[in-house]
Amino acid sequence: MPKQKMLEDLFLDTLKDIYYAERQIVKALPKMAKAAGSDELRTAFENHLEETHGQIDRLQQVFEIFGKRAQGKTCEAIQWLLEEGEEIIEEFSESPALDAGLISAGNAVEHYEIARYGTLKTWATLLKMPEAAKLLDANLQEEHKADELLTKLATTSVNKMAA
Protein backbone atom coordinates (compact mmCIF):
# COMPACT_ATOMS: atom_id res chain seq x y z
CA MET A 1 0.00 0.00 0.00
CA PRO A 2 1.40 3.46 -0.91
CA LYS A 3 2.44 5.74 1.93
CA GLN A 4 -0.25 8.20 2.91
CA LYS A 5 0.73 11.75 2.00
CA MET A 6 1.01 14.19 4.87
CA LEU A 7 1.34 17.95 5.34
CA GLU A 8 5.13 17.63 4.99
CA ASP A 9 4.60 16.24 1.48
CA LEU A 10 2.22 19.05 0.57
CA PHE A 11 4.65 21.61 1.98
CA LEU A 12 7.50 20.24 -0.13
CA ASP A 13 5.33 20.08 -3.25
CA THR A 14 4.21 23.70 -2.79
CA LEU A 15 7.77 24.82 -2.01
CA LYS A 16 8.93 23.28 -5.31
CA ASP A 17 6.07 25.08 -7.06
CA ILE A 18 7.00 28.55 -5.78
CA TYR A 19 10.71 27.89 -6.35
CA TYR A 20 9.96 27.13 -10.00
CA ALA A 21 7.69 30.18 -10.18
CA GLU A 22 10.32 32.57 -8.80
CA ARG A 23 12.91 31.28 -11.25
CA GLN A 24 10.48 31.94 -14.12
CA ILE A 25 9.68 35.40 -12.77
CA VAL A 26 13.40 36.24 -12.85
CA LYS A 27 13.27 35.63 -16.61
CA ALA A 28 10.07 37.65 -17.12
CA LEU A 29 10.83 40.79 -15.09
CA PRO A 30 13.56 42.14 -17.41
CA LYS A 31 11.15 41.83 -20.36
CA MET A 32 8.47 43.67 -18.43
CA ALA A 33 10.92 46.38 -17.36
CA LYS A 34 12.11 46.84 -20.94
CA ALA A 35 8.53 47.14 -22.21
CA ALA A 36 7.43 49.64 -19.55
CA GLY A 37 6.94 53.19 -20.76
CA SER A 38 6.90 54.75 -17.31
CA ASP A 39 10.27 55.22 -15.62
CA GLU A 40 8.64 54.52 -12.24
CA LEU A 41 7.18 51.24 -13.48
CA ARG A 42 10.47 50.22 -15.08
CA THR A 43 12.28 50.93 -11.80
CA ALA A 44 9.65 48.97 -9.84
CA PHE A 45 10.18 45.91 -12.05
CA GLU A 46 13.98 46.24 -11.87
CA ASN A 47 13.91 46.58 -8.07
CA HIS A 48 11.59 43.60 -7.75
CA LEU A 49 13.98 41.56 -9.90
CA GLU A 50 16.68 42.14 -7.26
CA GLU A 51 14.24 41.21 -4.50
CA THR A 52 13.29 38.05 -6.38
CA HIS A 53 16.92 36.92 -6.43
CA GLY A 54 16.91 37.30 -2.64
CA GLN A 55 13.64 35.38 -2.41
CA ILE A 56 15.17 32.49 -4.36
CA ASP A 57 18.09 32.48 -1.92
CA ARG A 58 15.65 32.32 1.01
CA LEU A 59 13.73 29.47 -0.64
CA GLN A 60 16.99 27.55 -1.01
CA GLN A 61 17.52 28.02 2.74
CA VAL A 62 14.02 26.66 3.40
CA PHE A 63 14.84 23.57 1.33
CA GLU A 64 17.97 23.12 3.46
CA ILE A 65 15.98 23.45 6.69
CA PHE A 66 13.56 20.85 5.36
CA GLY A 67 16.50 18.60 4.50
CA LYS A 68 15.84 18.56 0.77
CA ARG A 69 17.69 19.68 -2.33
CA ALA A 70 16.32 22.86 -3.89
CA GLN A 71 14.42 21.96 -7.03
CA GLY A 72 11.44 23.29 -8.85
CA LYS A 73 8.30 21.61 -10.07
CA THR A 74 6.63 22.95 -13.19
CA CYS A 75 3.90 25.36 -12.17
CA GLU A 76 1.35 25.79 -14.92
CA ALA A 77 -0.37 28.62 -13.05
CA ILE A 78 2.70 30.86 -13.16
CA GLN A 79 3.40 29.89 -16.76
CA TRP A 80 -0.09 31.03 -17.71
CA LEU A 81 0.22 34.30 -15.76
CA LEU A 82 3.58 35.09 -17.35
CA GLU A 83 2.29 34.21 -20.82
CA GLU A 84 -0.54 36.67 -20.22
CA GLY A 85 2.08 39.35 -19.53
CA GLU A 86 3.89 38.49 -22.76
CA GLU A 87 0.62 38.73 -24.70
CA ILE A 88 -0.03 42.18 -23.22
CA ILE A 89 3.44 43.31 -24.32
CA GLU A 90 2.81 42.02 -27.86
CA GLU A 91 -0.77 43.24 -28.22
CA PHE A 92 -0.38 46.65 -26.55
CA SER A 93 3.09 47.63 -27.71
CA GLU A 94 3.04 51.32 -28.65
CA SER A 95 -0.28 51.74 -26.81
CA PRO A 96 -0.85 54.16 -23.91
CA ALA A 97 -2.56 51.21 -22.18
CA LEU A 98 0.61 49.05 -22.16
CA ASP A 99 1.76 50.10 -18.69
CA ALA A 100 -1.73 49.56 -17.26
CA GLY A 101 -1.68 46.06 -18.73
CA LEU A 102 1.79 45.37 -17.35
CA ILE A 103 0.64 46.43 -13.89
CA SER A 104 -2.41 44.20 -14.18
CA ALA A 105 -0.21 41.24 -15.14
CA GLY A 106 2.25 42.09 -12.36
CA ASN A 107 -0.52 42.28 -9.76
CA ALA A 108 -1.82 38.86 -10.84
CA VAL A 109 1.65 37.36 -10.31
CA GLU A 110 2.03 39.10 -6.95
CA HIS A 111 -1.33 37.79 -5.75
CA TYR A 112 -0.33 34.25 -6.73
CA GLU A 113 2.93 34.60 -4.82
CA ILE A 114 1.19 36.11 -1.79
CA ALA A 115 -1.19 33.14 -1.68
CA ARG A 116 1.68 30.64 -1.91
CA TYR A 117 3.91 32.33 0.66
CA GLY A 118 1.06 32.85 3.12
CA THR A 119 0.15 29.17 2.92
CA LEU A 120 3.76 27.98 3.18
CA LYS A 121 4.42 30.24 6.18
CA THR A 122 1.37 28.82 7.98
CA TRP A 123 2.39 25.25 7.20
CA ALA A 124 6.00 25.85 8.28
CA THR A 125 4.67 27.09 11.63
CA LEU A 126 2.46 23.99 12.00
CA LEU A 127 5.41 21.77 11.06
CA LYS A 128 7.48 23.45 13.80
CA MET A 129 9.98 25.05 11.43
CA PRO A 130 10.13 28.61 12.83
CA GLU A 131 13.23 29.57 10.83
CA ALA A 132 11.55 28.47 7.59
CA ALA A 133 8.41 30.40 8.57
CA LYS A 134 10.54 33.50 9.16
CA LEU A 135 12.21 33.20 5.73
CA LEU A 136 8.87 32.63 4.01
CA ASP A 137 7.40 35.62 5.85
CA ALA A 138 10.23 37.82 4.56
CA ASN A 139 9.30 36.80 1.00
CA LEU A 140 5.61 37.33 1.76
CA GLN A 141 6.23 40.87 3.02
CA GLU A 142 8.25 41.76 -0.10
CA GLU A 143 5.44 40.47 -2.33
CA HIS A 144 2.89 42.56 -0.42
CA LYS A 145 5.07 45.66 -0.89
CA ALA A 146 5.51 44.96 -4.61
CA ASP A 147 1.76 44.54 -5.03
CA GLU A 148 1.07 47.77 -3.12
CA LEU A 149 3.60 49.68 -5.24
CA LEU A 150 2.09 48.43 -8.49
CA THR A 151 -1.39 49.34 -7.26
CA LYS A 152 -0.19 52.81 -6.23
CA LEU A 153 1.39 53.37 -9.66
CA ALA A 154 -1.82 52.25 -11.34
CA THR A 155 -4.13 54.45 -9.31
CA THR A 156 -1.97 57.58 -9.17
CA SER A 157 -0.79 57.83 -12.75
CA VAL A 158 -0.62 54.88 -15.13
CA ASN A 159 -4.32 54.09 -15.43
CA LYS A 160 -5.16 57.77 -16.01
CA MET A 161 -2.58 57.97 -18.80
CA ALA A 162 -4.15 54.89 -20.43
CA ALA A 163 -7.69 56.29 -20.39
Side-chain angles (χ1 to χ4, degrees), residues 25 27-46 48 80-111 113 146-155 157-159 161-162:
I25 292 165
K27 296 175 188 174
L29 281 169
K31 295 175 193 173
M32 294 174 78
K34 183 178 179 182
S38 157
D39 289 338
E40 286 180 296
L41 182 56
R42 183 177 307 105
T43 299
F45 287 142
E46 290 168 350
H48 196 55
W80 182 82
L81 289 170
L82 295 175
E83 284 173 19
E84 185 178 272
E86 288 178 16
E87 287 175 14
I88 288 169
I89 291 170
E90 288 174 22
E91 293 177 22
F92 290 87
S93 175
E94 308 299 322
S95 165
L98 175 61
D99 283 356
L102 288 171
I103 288 174
S104 172
N107 279 132
V109 170
E110 296 305 331
H111 289 205
E113 292 174 294
D147 180 56
E148 289 168 11
L149 176 58
L150 290 174
T151 299
K152 180 181 176 189
L153 289 172
T155 57
S157 62
V158 172
N159 287 347
M161 292 172 25

Side-chain angles (χ1 to χ4, degrees), residues 4-147:
Q4 184 177 11
K5 297 221 177 215
M6 304 298 286
L7 185 59
E8 293 90 351
D9 301 303
L10 190 55
F11 179 88
L12 181 60
D13 193 61
T14 306
L15 185 62
K16 289 177 180 180
D17 176 280
I18 195 66
Y19 185 68
Y20 173 88
E22 293 293 14
R23 291 170 55 114
Q24 296 308 302
I25 292 165
V26 162
K27 296 175 188 174
L29 281 169
K31 295 175 193 173
M32 294 174 78
K34 183 178 179 182
S38 157
D39 289 338
E40 286 180 296
L41 182 56
R42 183 177 307 105
T43 299
F45 287 142
E46 290 168 350
N47 290 343
H48 196 55
L49 175 61
E50 293 307 311
E51 285 179 338
T52 303
H53 285 294
Q55 291 169 359
I56 290 170
D57 290 343
R58 284 189 211 105
L59 288 173
Q60 290 168 342
Q61 292 175 53
V62 173
F63 276 105
E64 287 175 26
I65 291 167
F66 202 67
K68 299 291 182 181
R69 181 176 65 85
Q71 69 180 65
K73 173 187 168 192
T74 302
C75 170
E76 294 191 23
I78 204 67
Q79 287 179 321
W80 182 82
L81 289 170
L82 295 175
E83 284 173 19
E84 185 178 272
E86 288 178 16
E87 287 175 14
I88 288 169
I89 291 170
E90 288 174 22
E91 293 177 22
F92 290 87
S93 175
E94 308 299 322
S95 165
L98 175 61
D99 283 356
L102 288 171
I103 288 174
S104 172
N107 279 132
V109 170
E110 296 305 331
H111 289 205
Y112 177 80
E113 292 174 294
I114 288 166
R116 285 295 189 218
Y117 284 124
T119 297
L120 283 166
K121 175 188 166 189
T122 299
W123 290 344
T125 301
L126 286 170
L127 294 169
K128 301 196 182 335
M129 296 187 301
E131 189 59 34
K134 186 176 164 184
L135 292 164
L136 293 163
D137 185 60
N139 285 8
L140 177 61
Q141 297 312 313
E142 287 180 355
E143 300 301 357
H144 275 298
K145 284 187 212 167
D147 180 56

